[in-house]
Amino acid sequence: MSEAAYVAVDWGTSSFRLWLVGRAGNVLGERRSHEGMMAAGKLGFATVLQSHLKAVGAADGLPVVICGMAGARQGWVEAGYVETPARLASILKQAVVVPGQDRDIRILPGIAQRDPKAPDVMRGEETQLLGALGADAADDALVCMPGTHSKWVTASRGTVERFATFMTGELFDVVSRETILSHAVAGADEAEDVETFKSAVVAAFEAPAFAANLLFQVRSGQLLYGGKPSSAREKISGTLIGLELAAGLAGEAPKEAPKAGITLVASGRLQMLYQLAFDTVSVPVRSIGAEDAVRRGLAMAAHSIWNV
């Protein structure tokens, strides 16, 4: 077995992912749990981390590099922000040491956009960007990073110039569970209605000002013309993603991606849905797995800090 070099951790609000990484960059062990920042705040961050380190057999003294919400103000140790325009390489230089530990533990900073007209923050996604684009990228990029809070990032030659957050995933959850549309999706199965999703994407993309009306049509259309709960779910999803695409591409000319296309950083069902949405509005996409990107970003940080 390859000798372990470091431990990489992506510590979100509600999720925890840990990889024991060998000197050749291979994954020797892996852990996943729901012990994100909210749970770890109650259990103790050091306690949660140590339990997973023990489970993968991490040696005493093996260094740990962490990204995500462990570095938030409510997290383990506040790691602060690199401010836009932010060189991705600067993330590697501003990792914060967690004091009072028996091993070297570093937490990477987030990125802040200190603009009174468009204040924004990211924490965790900057490491995905690092892995997706590289610290010294030579090209410009428009990056879409779907999630509970989707990020759209404009980067130029390794520098994050600006970005915007869209609460698409959280809105989908709230609208589906806490509004009148909960009746429309009640009992929805796993069946996919691709055509309904695509039609909803187009309608919202072409007329984003009608967002509230398009969402109500999910219920009124079902009452008047019938339809499966799974189709209602796909219409809500398509509407919200179409709105996000319209806004994310609003600065382009008009609603067109850069010649190089969009860099989509996503995995699983989100990758499939956003790829389909971009295809539906004829926007070219280069897709990169979100987990691969964050692991590459953490590997770059470990190499920068400890030369491993």
Side-chain angles (χ1 to χ4, degrees):
M1 180 181 289
S2 174
E3 182 184 357
Y6 65 94
V7 174
V9 178
D10 180 7
W11 212 325
T13 301
S14 59
S15 64
F16 174 94
R17 294 180 293 182
L18 176 148
W19 300 276
L20 179 67
V21 184
R23 295 199 174 279
N26 51 320
V27 175
L28 304 176
E30 182 176 342
R31 296 283 293 176
R32 296 168 185 266
S33 80
H34 295 295
E35 295 162 304
M37 179 188 71
M38 301 300 290
K42 299 175 182 178
L43 298 171
F45 285 89
T47 300
V48 170
L49 178 61
Q50 183 57 38
S51 70
H52 291 285
L53 291 173
K54 182 178 179 180
V56 296
D60 294 342
L62 198 67
V64 179
V65 59
I66 301 171
C67 72
M69 296 304 291
R73 187 171 300 171
Q74 300 81 12
W76 192 358
V77 174
E78 187 172 7
Y81 297 103
V82 178
E83 299 200 8
T84 56
R87 292 284 301 169
L88 288 172
S90 64
I91 294 167
L92 304 173
K93 301 174 183 177
Q94 296 189 34
V96 171
V97 176
V98 178
Q101 304 301 306
D102 294 333
R103 66 180 77 229
D104 191 355
I105 301 175
R106 309 286 183 102
I107 303 179
L108 300 181
I111 297 179
Q113 182 168 278
R114 209 174 293 273
D115 178 350
K117 294 182 179 179
D120 218 324
V121 293
M122 69 169 70
R123 194 173 287 284
E125 293 90 355
E126 76 294 323
T127 308
Q128 289 185 15
L129 279 172
L130 190 61
L133 303 180
D136 298 302
D139 300 320
D140 295 343
L142 180 57
V143 184
C144 172
M145 310 171 76
T148 302
H149 300 148
S150 298
K151 307 289 183 184
W152 283 66
V153 181
T154 300
S156 178
R157 299 185 178 184
T159 296
V160 174
E161 300 289 353
R162 62 184 185 276
F163 64 97
T165 300
F166 298 90
M167 294 175 60
T168 305
E170 187 167 1
L171 284 174
F172 175 81
D173 186 62
V174 171
V175 168
S176 299
R177 295 173 183 269
E178 306 295 337
T179 73
I180 193 172
L181 299 189
S182 63
H183 301 296
V185 301
D189 55 28
E190 297 300 316
E192 296 178 356
D193 188 338
V194 172
E195 293 308 313
T196 293
F197 175 82
K198 291 167 63 176
S199 295
V201 168
V202 171
F205 186 75
E206 293 183 345
F210 282 82
N213 173 252
L214 291 171
L215 286 171
F216 186 75
Q217 287 179 30
V218 175
R219 182 57 174 163
S220 58
Q222 190 183 63
L223 288 171
L224 297 175
Y225 300 107
K228 297 179 179 179
S230 56
S231 296
R233 180 197 62 217
E234 299 294 281
K235 189 166 185 177
I236 295 171
S237 177
T239 298
L240 293 173
I241 292 175
L243 291 172
E244 181 185 322
L245 265 59
L249 294 167
E252 308 307 319
K255 290 190 182 132
E256 293 179 0
K259 291 181 180 179
I262 299 289
T263 298
L264 174 64
V265 182
S267 298
R269 178 168 170 78
L270 280 179
Q271 191 279 333
M272 182 273 291
L273 287 175
Y274 276 74
Q275 180 76 59
L276 179 58
F278 280 117
D279 289 346
T280 299
V281 297
S282 301
V283 172
V285 167
R286 178 178 73 104
S287 187
I288 297 172
E291 191 166 299
D292 291 338
V294 77
R295 281 216 314 266
R296 281 199 296 268
L298 287 166
M300 293 169 68
H303 180 75
S304 175
I305 297 167
W306 301 297
N307 195 30
V308 293

